[in-house]
């Protein structure tokens, strides 16, 4: 399959409903766009502490 014909799901990028899930978790705090660590962990299907461990290593 040609690289240009790959679907987003073929390369692990979010599509459709996943974009809406991400968009709904984005907030603005003191003029800074943020996503809470708990929301990122939820998107990946892990608990926040496991997210922290994977980021720290």
């Amino acid at each position: 399959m040609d690289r240009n014909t790959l679907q987003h799901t073929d390369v692990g990028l979010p599509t459709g409903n996943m974009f809406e899930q991400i968009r709904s978790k984005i907030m603005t705090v003191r003029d800074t766009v943020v996503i809470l660590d708990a929301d990122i962990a939820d998107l990946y299907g892990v608990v926040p502490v496991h997210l922290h461990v994977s980021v720290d290593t």
Side-chain angles (χ1 to χ4, degrees):
M1 182 181 288
D2 184 338
R3 179 179 170 88
N4 295 327
T5 61
L6 290 176
Q7 296 296 316
H8 288 299
T9 54
D10 292 333
V11 292
L13 297 175
T15 60
N17 190 37
M18 181 60 105
F19 278 119
E20 291 306 317
Q21 285 180 312
I22 295 169
R23 198 174 281 137
S24 71
K25 296 180 185 298
I26 298 172
M27 299 184 264
T28 303
V29 177
R30 296 183 184 171
D31 296 323
T32 302
V33 178
V34 299
I35 299 179
L36 298 178
D37 61 345
D39 290 334
I40 294 171
D42 184 50
L43 289 169
Y44 280 99
V46 298
V47 293
V49 74
H50 291 159
L51 180 71
H52 291 202
V53 169
S54 65
V55 170
D56 290 340
T57 57

